[in-house]
């Protein structure tokens, strides 16, 4: 079975909604829209869809791994400021 095309696409971005009522407030959205309406809530292990906007998420130039400023969990960041505070999602939501 094939892997879902969206799960490895660099256009799929994770957003944190601090005003969300219930749930964890973490959402994923595609910059160009999903290939099909069912993709946004897809729970299958694979599909046969293709997408003209697909880009590999392995484009990590400038990304480095640093510890969360609160709990120390390793977090990937693209910040060029070595003195910036970086938080994991859990610590950011508790802040």
């Amino acid at each position: 079975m094939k892997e879902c095309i969206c799960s490895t696409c660099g256009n799929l971005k994770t957003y944190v909604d601090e005003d969300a009522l219930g749930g964890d407030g973490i959402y994923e959205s595609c910059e160009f829209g999903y290939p099909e309406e069912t993709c946004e809530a897809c729970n299958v292990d694979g599909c046969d869809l293709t997408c003209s906007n697909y880009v590999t998420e392995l484009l990590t130039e400038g990304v480095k791994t640093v510890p969360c400023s609160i709990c120390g969990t390793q977090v990937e960041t693209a910040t060029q400021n070595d003195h910036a505070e970086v938080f994991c999602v859990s610590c950011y939501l508790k802040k």
Side-chain angles (χ1 to χ4, degrees):
M1 186 179 276
K2 294 183 180 179
E3 187 175 13
C4 178
I5 191 168
C6 295
S7 66
T8 59
C9 182
N11 291 322
L12 192 64
K13 306 295 181 196
T14 303
Y15 298 95
V16 177
D17 183 2
E18 294 178 354
D19 299 325
L21 298 174
D24 58 9
I26 301 171
Y27 302 96
E28 288 186 329
S29 178
C30 179
E31 180 178 347
F32 298 100
Y34 293 100
E36 282 189 358
E37 289 181 21
T38 58
C39 293
E40 188 171 0
C42 178
N43 291 324
V44 298
D45 291 332
C47 66
D48 292 322
L49 294 176
T50 59
C51 180
S52 60
N53 296 309
Y54 178 84
V55 293
T56 181
E57 68 178 352
L58 299 177
L59 302 175
T60 56
E61 185 175 320
V63 175
K64 58 185 174 182
T65 304
V66 296
C68 169
S69 296
I70 295 175
C71 71
T73 300
Q74 294 297 311
V75 179
E76 289 185 350
T77 182
T79 184
Q80 299 302 318
N81 183 350
D82 290 333
H83 303 291
E85 285 189 305
V86 177
F87 303 98
C88 68
V89 174
S90 298
C91 291
Y92 180 80
L93 290 173
K94 291 176 188 175
K95 233 174 76 159

Coordinates of all heavy atoms in Angstrom, one line a residue:
M1 N 0.8 -1.2 0.0 CA 0.0 0.0 0.0 C 0.9 1.2 0.0 O 1.9 1.3 0.7 CB -0.9 0.0 1.2 CG -1.9 1.1 1.2 SD -3.0 1.1 2.7 CE -4.2 -0.1 2.1
K2 N 0.5 2.2 -0.8 CA 1.3 3.5 -0.9 C 1.0 4.4 0.3 O -0.1 4.3 0.9 CB 0.9 4.2 -2.1 CG 1.3 3.5 -3.4 CD 0.9 4.3 -4.6 CE 1.3 3.6 -5.9 NZ 1.0 4.4 -7.0
E3 N 2.0 5.2 0.6 CA 1.8 6.2 1.7 C 1.0 7.4 1.2 O 1.1 7.7 0.0 CB 3.2 6.7 2.1 CG 3.2 7.6 3.3 CD 4.7 7.9 3.7 OE1 5.6 7.6 3.0 OE2 4.8 8.4 4.8
C4 N 0.3 8.0 2.0 CA -0.5 9.2 1.7 C 0.4 10.3 1.2 O 1.4 10.6 1.8 CB -1.3 9.7 2.8 SG -2.3 11.2 2.5
I5 N 0.1 10.8 0.0 CA 1.0 11.8 -0.6 C 1.2 13.1 0.3 O 2.2 13.7 0.3 CB 0.5 12.2 -2.0 CG1 1.6 13.0 -2.8 CG2 -0.8 12.9 -2.0 CD1 1.3 13.2 -4.2
C6 N 0.1 13.4 1.0 CA 0.2 14.6 1.8 C 1.1 14.5 3.0 O 1.7 15.4 3.5 CB -1.2 15.0 2.3 SG -2.3 15.5 1.0
S7 N 1.3 13.2 3.5 CA 2.1 13.0 4.7 C 3.6 13.3 4.5 O 4.4 13.5 5.4 CB 2.0 11.6 5.2 OG 2.5 10.7 4.3
T8 N 4.1 13.4 3.2 CA 5.5 13.7 2.9 C 5.6 15.0 2.1 O 6.7 15.2 1.5 CB 6.1 12.5 2.2 OG1 5.5 12.3 1.0 CG2 6.2 11.3 3.1
C9 N 4.6 15.8 2.0 CA 4.6 17.0 1.2 C 5.1 18.2 2.0 O 4.6 18.4 3.1 CB 3.3 17.2 0.6 SG 3.3 18.7 -0.5
G10 N 6.0 19.0 1.4 CA 6.5 20.1 2.1 C 5.5 21.3 2.2 O 5.7 22.3 2.9
N11 N 4.4 21.2 1.4 CA 3.4 22.3 1.4 C 2.4 22.1 2.6 O 1.6 23.0 2.8 CB 2.6 22.3 0.1 CG 3.5 22.8 -1.0 OD1 4.3 23.7 -0.9 ND2 3.4 22.2 -2.2
L12 N 2.4 20.9 3.2 CA 1.6 20.7 4.4 C 2.2 21.3 5.6 O 3.3 20.9 6.0 CB 1.4 19.2 4.6 CG 0.2 18.8 5.5 CD1 -1.1 19.2 5.0 CD2 0.2 17.3 5.8
K13 N 1.5 22.3 6.2 CA 2.1 23.1 7.3 C 1.2 22.8 8.5 O 0.0 22.7 8.5 CB 2.1 24.6 7.0 CG 2.8 24.9 5.7 CD 4.3 24.6 5.8 CE 4.9 25.0 4.4 NZ 6.2 24.5 4.3
T14 N 1.9 22.8 9.7 CA 1.2 22.7 11.0 C 1.0 24.0 11.6 O 1.9 24.9 11.6 CB 2.1 21.8 11.9 OG1 2.3 20.5 11.3 CG2 1.4 21.6 13.2
Y15 N -0.2 24.3 12.1 CA -0.5 25.6 12.7 C -1.0 25.3 14.1 O -1.7 24.3 14.4 CB -1.6 26.3 11.9 CG -1.2 26.6 10.5 CD1 -1.5 25.8 9.4 CD2 -0.5 27.8 10.2 CE1 -1.1 26.1 8.1 CE2 -0.1 28.1 8.9 CZ -0.4 27.2 7.9 OH 0.0 27.5 6.6
V16 N -0.8 26.3 15.0 CA -1.2 26.2 16.3 C -2.3 27.3 16.5 O -2.1 28.5 16.2 CB -0.1 26.5 17.3 CG1 -0.6 26.5 18.8 CG2 1.0 25.4 17.2
D17 N -3.5 26.9 16.9 CA -4.6 27.8 17.1 C -4.8 28.0 18.6 O -5.3 27.1 19.3 CB -5.9 27.3 16.5 CG -7.1 28.3 16.6 OD1 -6.9 29.4 17.2 OD2 -8.2 27.9 16.2
E18 N -4.3 29.1 19.2 CA -4.3 29.3 20.6 C -5.7 29.6 21.1 O -6.0 29.4 22.3 CB -3.4 30.5 21.0 CG -2.0 30.2 20.7 CD -1.1 31.4 21.1 OE1 -1.6 32.5 21.4 OE2 0.1 31.3 21.0
D19 N -6.7 29.9 20.2 CA -8.0 30.2 20.6 C -9.0 29.1 20.5 O -10.2 29.2 20.6 CB -8.6 31.4 19.8 CG -7.7 32.7 20.0 OD1 -7.3 32.9 21.1 OD2 -7.6 33.4 19.0
A20 N -8.4 27.9 20.1 CA -9.3 26.7 19.9 C -9.9 26.3 21.2 O -9.3 26.2 22.2 CB -8.4 25.6 19.3
L21 N -11.2 26.0 21.1 CA -12.0 25.4 22.2 C -12.0 23.9 22.1 O -12.5 23.4 21.1 CB -13.4 26.0 22.2 CG -13.5 27.5 22.4 CD1 -14.9 28.0 22.2 CD2 -12.9 27.9 23.7
G22 N -11.5 23.2 23.0 CA -11.4 21.8 23.0 C -10.4 21.3 22.0 O -9.8 22.1 21.3
G23 N -10.0 20.1 22.0 CA -9.0 19.6 21.1 C -7.6 20.1 21.5 O -7.5 20.7 22.6
D24 N -6.6 19.8 20.7 CA -5.3 20.2 21.1 C -4.9 21.5 20.4 O -3.8 22.1 20.7 CB -4.3 19.1 20.8 CG -4.3 18.7 19.3 OD1 -4.9 19.4 18.5 OD2 -3.6 17.7 19.0
G25 N -5.7 22.1 19.5 CA -5.4 23.3 18.8 C -4.3 23.2 17.8 O -3.7 24.3 17.4
I26 N -3.9 22.0 17.4 CA -2.9 21.9 16.4 C -3.6 21.4 15.1 O -4.3 20.4 15.1 CB -1.8 20.9 16.8 CG1 -1.2 21.4 18.1 CG2 -0.8 20.7 15.8 CD1 -0.2 20.4 18.8
Y27 N -3.4 22.1 14.0 CA -4.0 21.8 12.7 C -3.0 21.7 11.6 O -2.0 22.4 11.7 CB -5.1 22.8 12.4 CG -6.1 22.9 13.5 CD1 -6.0 23.9 14.5 CD2 -7.2 22.0 13.6 CE1 -7.0 24.0 15.5 CE2 -8.1 22.1 14.6 CZ -8.0 23.1 15.5 OH -8.9 23.2 16.5
E28 N -3.3 20.9 10.6 CA -2.5 20.9 9.4 C -3.3 21.4 8.2 O -4.5 21.2 8.1 CB -2.0 19.5 9.1 CG -0.9 19.0 10.1 CD -0.4 17.7 9.7 OE1 -1.1 16.8 9.1 OE2 0.8 17.4 10.0
S29 N -2.6 22.2 7.4 CA -3.3 22.7 6.2 C -2.3 22.8 5.1 O -1.1 23.0 5.2 CB -3.8 24.1 6.6 OG -4.4 24.7 5.4
C30 N -2.9 22.6 3.9 CA -2.0 22.6 2.7 C -2.1 24.0 2.1 O -3.2 24.6 1.9 CB -2.5 21.6 1.6 SG -1.5 21.7 0.1
E31 N -1.0 24.6 1.7 CA -0.9 25.9 1.1 C -1.7 26.0 -0.2 O -2.3 27.1 -0.5 CB 0.6 26.2 0.9 CG 0.8 27.6 0.3 CD 2.3 27.8 0.1 OE1 3.2 27.0 0.7 OE2 2.7 28.7 -0.6
F32 N -1.8 24.9 -0.9 CA -2.5 25.0 -2.2 C -3.8 24.2 -2.2 O -4.4 24.1 -3.2 CB -1.6 24.3 -3.3 CG -0.3 25.0 -3.4 CD1 0.9 24.6 -2.8 CD2 -0.2 26.2 -4.2 CE1 2.1 25.2 -3.0 CE2 1.0 26.9 -4.3 CZ 2.1 26.4 -3.7
G33 N -4.2 23.7 -1.1 CA -5.4 22.9 -1.0 C -5.1 21.5 -1.2 O -4.1 21.1 -1.8
Y34 N -5.9 20.6 -0.7 CA -5.7 19.2 -0.8 C -6.1 18.6 -2.1 O -7.0 19.2 -2.8 CB -6.5 18.4 0.3 CG -6.0 18.7 1.7 CD1 -6.6 19.7 2.5 CD2 -4.8 18.1 2.2 CE1 -6.1 20.0 3.8 CE2 -4.4 18.4 3.5 CZ -5.0 19.3 4.3 OH -4.6 19.6 5.5
P35 N -5.5 17.5 -2.6 CA -5.9 17.0 -3.9 C -7.4 16.5 -4.0 O -8.0 16.6 -5.0 CB -5.0 15.8 -4.1 CG -4.0 15.8 -3.0 CD -4.4 16.8 -2.0
E36 N -7.9 16.1 -2.9 CA -9.3 15.7 -2.8 C -9.9 16.3 -1.4 O -9.1 16.5 -0.5 CB -9.5 14.2 -2.8 CG -9.4 13.6 -4.2 CD -9.8 12.2 -4.2 OE1 -10.1 11.6 -3.2 OE2 -9.8 11.6 -5.3
E37 N -11.2 16.4 -1.4 CA -11.8 16.9 -0.1 C -11.6 16.0 1.0 O -11.5 16.4 2.2 CB -13.4 17.1 -0.4 CG -13.7 18.2 -1.3 CD -15.2 18.3 -1.4 OE1 -16.0 17.8 -0.6 OE2 -15.6 19.0 -2.4
T38 N -11.5 14.7 0.8 CA -11.3 13.7 1.9 C -9.9 13.7 2.5 O -9.7 13.2 3.5 CB -11.6 12.3 1.4 OG1 -10.8 12.0 0.3 CG2 -13.1 12.2 1.0
C39 N -9.0 14.4 1.8 CA -7.6 14.4 2.3 C -7.4 15.1 3.6 O -6.5 14.7 4.4 CB -6.7 15.0 1.2 SG -6.6 14.0 -0.3
E40 N -8.1 16.1 3.9 CA -7.9 16.9 5.1 C -8.1 16.0 6.4 O -7.5 16.2 7.3 CB -8.9 18.1 5.1 CG -8.6 19.0 6.3 CD -9.4 20.3 6.2 OE1 -10.2 20.5 5.2 OE2 -9.2 21.2 7.1
A41 N -9.1 15.1 6.3 CA -9.3 14.2 7.4 C -8.9 12.8 7.1 O -9.5 11.9 7.7 CB -10.8 14.3 7.8
C42 N -7.9 12.6 6.3 CA -7.5 11.3 5.9 C -6.9 10.5 7.1 O -6.0 11.0 7.7 CB -6.5 11.4 4.8 SG -5.9 9.8 4.2
N43 N -7.4 9.3 7.2 CA -6.8 8.4 8.3 C -6.3 7.1 7.7 O -6.0 6.2 8.4 CB -7.9 8.1 9.3 CG -8.2 9.3 10.2 OD1 -7.3 10.1 10.5 ND2 -9.5 9.5 10.5
V44 N -6.3 7.0 6.4 CA -5.8 5.7 5.8 C -4.3 5.7 5.7 O -3.6 6.7 5.8 CB -6.4 5.5 4.3 CG1 -7.9 5.5 4.4 CG2 -6.0 6.7 3.4
D45 N -3.8 4.5 5.5 CA -2.3 4.3 5.5 C -1.7 4.7 4.2 O -0.5 4.9 4.1 CB -1.9 2.9 5.8 CG -2.2 2.6 7.3 OD1 -2.2 3.5 8.1 OD2 -2.5 1.4 7.6
G46 N -2.5 4.8 3.1 CA -2.0 5.1 1.8 C -3.0 5.4 0.8 O -4.2 5.2 1.1
C47 N -2.6 5.9 -0.3 CA -3.6 6.3 -1.4 C -2.9 6.3 -2.7 O -1.7 6.3 -2.8 CB -4.3 7.6 -1.1 SG -3.2 9.0 -1.1
D48 N -3.6 6.4 -3.8 CA -3.1 6.5 -5.1 C -3.2 7.9 -5.7 O -3.0 8.0 -6.9 CB -3.8 5.5 -6.0 CG -3.5 4.0 -5.6 OD1 -2.4 3.8 -5.2 OD2 -4.5 3.2 -5.7
L49 N -3.4 8.9 -4.9 CA -3.5 10.2 -5.4 C -2.2 10.8 -5.8 O -1.1 10.5 -5.3 CB -4.1 11.2 -4.3 CG -5.6 10.8 -3.9 CD1 -6.0 11.8 -2.8 CD2 -6.5 11.0 -5.1
T50 N -2.2 11.7 -6.8 CA -1.1 12.5 -7.2 C -1.5 14.0 -7.0 O -2.6 14.4 -6.9 CB -0.7 12.3 -8.6 OG1 -1.8 12.6 -9.4 CG2 -0.3 10.8 -8.8
C51 N -0.5 14.9 -6.9 CA -0.7 16.3 -6.7 C 0.3 17.1 -7.5 O 1.5 16.8 -7.4 CB -0.7 16.6 -5.2 SG -1.0 18.4 -4.9
S52 N -0.2 18.0 -8.3 CA 0.8 18.8 -9.1 C 1.6 19.8 -8.2 O 2.6 20.3 -8.7 CB 0.0 19.6 -10.2 OG -1.0 20.4 -9.5
N53 N 1.2 20.0 -7.0 CA 1.9 21.0 -6.1 C 2.8 20.3 -5.1 O 3.4 20.9 -4.3 CB 0.9 21.8 -5.3 CG 0.1 22.7 -6.2 OD1 0.6 23.4 -7.0 ND2 -1.3 22.6 -6.0
Y54 N 3.0 18.9 -5.3 CA 3.8 18.2 -4.3 C 5.2 18.6 -4.4 O 5.8 18.7 -5.4 CB 3.7 16.7 -4.6 CG 4.5 15.8 -3.7 CD1 4.1 15.4 -2.5 CD2 5.8 15.4 -4.1 CE1 4.8 14.6 -1.7 CE2 6.6 14.6 -3.3 CZ 6.1 14.3 -2.1 OH 6.9 13.5 -1.2
V55 N 5.8 18.8 -3.2 CA 7.3 19.0 -3.1 C 7.8 18.2 -1.9 O 7.0 18.0 -0.9 CB 7.6 20.5 -2.9 CG1 7.3 21.4 -4.1 CG2 7.0 21.1 -1.6
T56 N 8.9 17.7 -2.0 CA 9.5 16.9 -0.9 C 9.7 17.7 0.3 O 10.1 18.9 0.2 CB 10.8 16.2 -1.4 OG1 11.2 15.4 -0.3 CG2 11.9 17.1 -1.8
E57 N 9.4 17.2 1.5 CA 9.7 17.9 2.7 C 11.1 17.8 3.2 O 11.5 18.4 4.2 CB 8.7 17.4 3.8 CG 9.0 16.0 4.3 CD 8.1 15.5 5.4 OE1 7.4 16.3 5.9 OE2 8.2 14.3 5.7
L58 N 11.9 17.1 2.4 CA 13.3 17.0 2.8 C 14.2 18.2 2.5 O 15.4 18.1 2.6 CB 13.9 15.7 2.1 CG 13.2 14.4 2.5 CD1 13.8 13.2 1.8 CD2 13.3 14.2 4.0
L59 N 13.6 19.3 2.0 CA 14.3 20.5 1.8 C 14.6 21.2 3.1 O 13.8 22.1 3.5 CB 13.5 21.4 0.8 CG 13.2 20.8 -0.5 CD1 12.3 21.7 -1.3 CD2 14.4 20.5 -1.3
T60 N 15.6 20.8 3.8 CA 15.9 21.3 5.1 C 17.1 22.2 5.2 O 17.7 22.3 6.3 CB 16.0 20.1 6.1 OG1 17.1 19.3 5.6 CG2 14.7 19.3 6.2
E61 N 17.5 22.8 4.2 CA 18.6 23.7 4.2 C 18.4 24.8 5.2 O 17.3 25.5 5.2 CB 18.8 24.3 2.8 CG 20.1 25.2 2.7 CD 20.3 25.7 1.3 OE1 20.1 24.9 0.4 OE2 20.7 26.8 1.2
G62 N 19.3 25.0 6.1 CA 19.2 26.1 7.1 C 18.4 25.6 8.3 O 18.3 26.4 9.3
V63 N 17.9 24.4 8.4 CA 17.2 23.9 9.5 C 18.2 23.2 10.5 O 19.1 22.5 10.1 CB 16.1 22.9 9.1 CG1 15.5 22.3 10.3 CG2 15.1 23.5 8.2
K64 N 18.0 23.5 11.8 CA 18.9 22.9 12.8 C 18.1 22.4 13.9 O 17.0 22.9 14.1 CB 20.0 23.9 13.2 CG 19.5 25.2 13.8 CD 20.7 26.1 14.1 CE 20.2 27.4 14.6 NZ 21.2 28.4 14.8
T65 N 18.6 21.5 14.7 CA 17.9 21.0 15.9 C 18.5 21.6 17.1 O 19.7 21.7 17.3 CB 18.1 19.5 15.9 OG1 17.6 18.9 14.7 CG2 17.4 18.9 17.1
V66 N 17.6 22.2 17.9 CA 18.0 22.9 19.2 C 17.0 22.4 20.3 O 15.9 21.9 20.0 CB 17.9 24.4 19.0 CG1 18.9 24.9 18.0 CG2 16.5 24.9 18.7
P67 N 17.4 22.5 21.5 CA 16.5 22.1 22.6 C 15.5 23.2 22.9 O 15.7 24.4 22.7 CB 17.5 22.0 23.8 CG 18.6 22.9 23.5 CD 18.8 22.9 22.0
C68 N 14.3 22.7 23.3 CA 13.2 23.6 23.8 C 13.7 24.4 24.9 O 14.4 23.9 25.8 CB 12.0 22.8 24.2 SG 10.7 23.7 25.0
S69 N 13.4 25.7 25.0 CA 13.9 26.6 26.0 C 13.4 26.2 27.4 O 13.9 26.6 28.4 CB 13.5 28.0 25.7 OG 14.1 28.4 24.6
I70 N 12.3 25.4 27.5 CA 11.7 25.1 28.8 C 12.0 23.7 29.2 O 12.5 23.4 30.2 CB 10.1 25.3 28.8 CG1 9.9 26.8 28.6 CG2 9.5 24.8 30.0 CD1 8.4 27.2 28.5
C71 N 11.6 22.7 28.3 CA 11.8 21.3 28.7 C 13.0 20.6 28.1 O 13.3 19.5 28.6 CB 10.5 20.5 28.3 SG 10.3 20.2 26.6
G72 N 13.6 21.1 27.1 CA 14.8 20.5 26.6 C 14.6 19.6 25.4 O 15.5 19.0 24.9
T73 N 13.3 19.3 25.1 CA 13.0 18.4 23.9 C 13.6 19.0 22.7 O 13.6 20.2 22.4 CB 11.5 18.4 23.7 OG1 10.9 17.8 24.9 CG2 11.1 17.5 22.5
Q74 N 14.2 18.1 21.8 CA 14.8 18.6 20.6 C 13.8 19.1 19.6 O 12.8 18.4 19.3 CB 15.6 17.5 20.0 CG 16.8 17.1 20.8 CD 17.8 18.2 21.0 OE1 18.2 18.8 20.0 NE2 18.2 18.4 22.2
V75 N 14.0 20.3 19.0 CA 13.0 20.9 18.1 C 13.8 21.4 16.9 O 14.9 21.9 17.0 CB 12.4 22.1 18.8 CG1 11.4 22.8 17.9 CG2 11.7 21.7 20.1
E76 N 13.2 21.2 15.7 CA 13.9 21.7 14.5 C 13.4 23.1 14.3 O 12.3 23.4 14.4 CB 13.5 20.8 13.3 CG 14.1 19.5 13.3 CD 13.8 18.7 12.0 OE1 12.9 19.1 11.2 OE2 14.4 17.6 11.8
T77 N 14.4 24.0 13.9 CA 14.1 25.4 13.7 C 14.9 25.9 12.6 O 15.9 25.4 12.3 CB 14.3 26.2 15.0 OG1 14.0 27.6 14.8 CG2 15.8 26.2 15.4
A78 N 14.4 27.0 11.9 CA 15.1 27.6 10.8 C 15.6 29.0 11.2 O 16.1 29.7 10.4 CB 14.2 27.7 9.6
T79 N 15.5 29.3 12.5 CA 15.9 30.6 12.9 C 17.4 30.8 12.8 O 18.2 29.9 13.0 CB 15.5 30.9 14.4 OG1 15.9 32.3 14.7 CG2 16.1 30.0 15.4
Q80 N 17.8 32.0 12.3 CA 19.2 32.2 12.2 C 19.8 32.9 13.5 O 21.0 33.0 13.6 CB 19.5 33.2 11.0 CG 19.0 32.6 9.7 CD 19.7 31.3 9.4 OE1 20.8 31.1 9.5 NE2 18.9 30.3 8.9
N81 N 18.9 33.2 14.4 CA 19.3 33.9 15.7 C 19.7 32.8 16.7 O 18.8 32.1 17.2 CB 18.2 34.8 16.2 CG 18.6 35.5 17.4 OD1 19.6 35.2 18.1 ND2 17.7 36.4 17.8
D82 N 20.9 32.7 17.0 CA 21.4 31.6 18.0 C 20.9 31.9 19.4 O 21.0 31.0 20.2 CB 22.9 31.5 17.9 CG 23.4 30.9 16.6 OD1 22.6 30.1 16.0 OD2 24.5 31.1 16.2
H83 N 20.4 33.1 19.7 CA 20.0 33.4 21.0 C 18.5 33.5 21.2 O 18.0 33.8 22.2 CB 20.6 34.8 21.4 CG 22.1 34.8 21.4 ND1 22.9 34.0 22.2 CD2 23.0 35.4 20.5 CE1 24.2 34.2 21.9 NE2 24.3 35.0 20.8
A84 N 17.8 33.1 20.1 CA 16.3 33.2 20.2 C 15.8 32.0 21.0 O 16.3 30.9 21.1 CB 15.7 33.1 18.8
E85 N 14.7 32.3 21.8 CA 14.0 31.2 22.5 C 13.2 30.4 21.6 O 12.5 30.9 20.7 CB 13.1 31.8 23.6 CG 13.8 32.4 24.8 CD 12.8 32.8 25.9 OE1 11.9 33.5 25.6 OE2 13.0 32.3 27.0
V86 N 13.3 29.1 21.7 CA 12.6 28.1 20.9 C 11.9 27.2 21.8 O 12.4 26.7 22.8 CB 13.6 27.3 20.0 CG1 12.9 26.2 19.2 CG2 14.4 28.2 19.1
F87 N 10.6 27.0 21.5 CA 9.7 26.1 22.3 C 9.1 25.0 21.5 O 8.8 25.1 20.3 CB 8.5 27.0 22.9 CG 9.0 28.2 23.6 CD1 9.0 29.4 23.0 CD2 9.4 28.1 25.0 CE1 9.4 30.5 23.7 CE2 9.8 29.2 25.7 CZ 9.8 30.4 25.1
C88 N 9.0 23.8 22.2 CA 8.2 22.7 21.5 C 6.7 23.1 21.6 O 6.4 24.1 22.3 CB 8.5 21.4 22.3 SG 7.8 21.3 23.9
V89 N 5.9 22.4 20.9 CA 4.5 22.8 20.8 C 3.8 22.7 22.2 O 3.1 23.6 22.6 CB 3.7 21.8 19.8 CG1 2.3 22.1 19.8 CG2 4.3 22.0 18.4
S90 N 4.1 21.7 23.0 CA 3.5 21.6 24.3 C 3.8 22.7 25.2 O 3.0 23.3 25.8 CB 3.9 20.3 25.0 OG 3.5 19.2 24.2
C91 N 5.1 23.1 25.3 CA 5.5 24.2 26.1 C 5.0 25.6 25.6 O 4.6 26.4 26.4 CB 7.0 24.3 26.2 SG 7.7 22.9 27.2
Y92 N 4.9 25.7 24.3 CA 4.4 26.9 23.7 C 2.9 27.1 24.1 O 2.5 28.2 24.4 CB 4.5 26.9 22.2 CG 4.0 28.1 21.5 CD1 4.8 29.3 21.5 CD2 2.7 28.2 20.9 CE1 4.3 30.4 20.9 CE2 2.3 29.3 20.3 CZ 3.0 30.4 20.3 OH 2.5 31.6 19.7
L93 N 2.1 26.0 24.0 CA 0.7 26.1 24.4 C 0.5 26.4 25.8 O -0.5 26.9 26.2 CB 0.0 24.8 23.9 CG -0.1 24.6 22.4 CD1 -0.7 23.2 22.1 CD2 -1.0 25.7 21.8
K94 N 1.4 25.9 26.7 CA 1.3 26.2 28.1 C 1.8 27.6 28.5 O 1.5 28.0 29.6 CB 2.2 25.1 28.9 CG 1.6 23.7 28.8 CD 2.5 22.8 29.5 CE 2.1 21.3 29.3 NZ 3.1 20.4 29.8
K95 N 2.5 28.2 27.7 CA 3.1 29.5 28.0 C 2.1 30.6 28.2 O 1.1 30.7 27.7 CB 3.9 30.0 26.7 CG 5.3 30.4 27.1 CD 6.1 30.7 25.8 CE 5.6 32.0 25.3 NZ 6.6 32.6 24.4

